[in-house]
Amino acid sequence: MTVSNKRVYLTLEQRDPTLGVQTLFCIYGDENAIRDQKADFTENEKVGLVFRARKAGLHEAVDMSDEQILEKYSSTPDFEVPWFCDSIRQAAKYTLEYPN
């Protein structure tokens, strides 16, 4: 691998192979938790994250515009990465579709 300033383009699935769980963990996970990022999320972790996301209304982001998502979920809306809104929508979709 060579260090470069060239942009690397990744799909959402490449950025978050958990299809939204990693984003849920970043938003709703225990801020004091240290976890092995190579380890899969357990079902108990997923259930807890989805519960907290549903309670907070994250599932509503599925139908929000980029501007609405930035306003509600970003502390720095003018400086977010280009994939921020898509990542939030992906986590919202996961929350909406998670069975329980």
Side-chain angles (χ1 to χ4, degrees):
M1 180 179 279
T2 303
V3 176
S4 168
N5 65 350
K6 292 182 182 177
R7 180 179 268 204
V8 175
Y9 291 93
L10 301 172
T11 66
L12 274 178
E13 290 75 22
Q14 290 169 320
R15 288 188 190 289
D16 180 2
T18 68
L19 304 178
V21 182
Q22 181 61 46
T23 300
L24 292 178
F25 180 76
C26 291
I27 299 171
Y28 302 107
D30 179 354
E31 61 191 40
N32 297 312
I34 297 173
R35 67 181 313 278
D36 179 354
Q37 292 303 310
K38 294 178 186 173
D40 291 334
F41 286 94
T42 67
E43 283 306 310
N44 284 342
E45 287 175 315
K46 291 176 188 178
V47 167
L49 292 168
V50 168
F51 175 79
R52 289 189 289 282
R54 286 179 178 165
K55 188 174 178 181
L58 179 72
H59 56 282
E60 296 171 358
V62 167
D63 296 318
M64 288 182 176
S65 68
D66 286 358
E67 292 77 21
Q68 291 169 316
I69 288 174
L70 288 169
E71 182 179 319
K72 185 164 184 172
Y73 295 101
S74 175
S75 60
T76 55
D78 293 333
F79 303 100
E80 287 300 346
V81 294
W83 57 88
F84 178 82
C85 294
D86 290 335
S87 293
I88 296 293
R89 277 193 206 91
Q90 181 184 45
K93 183 178 177 192
Y94 185 92
T95 300
L96 194 61
E97 295 176 352
Y98 190 80
N100 74 357

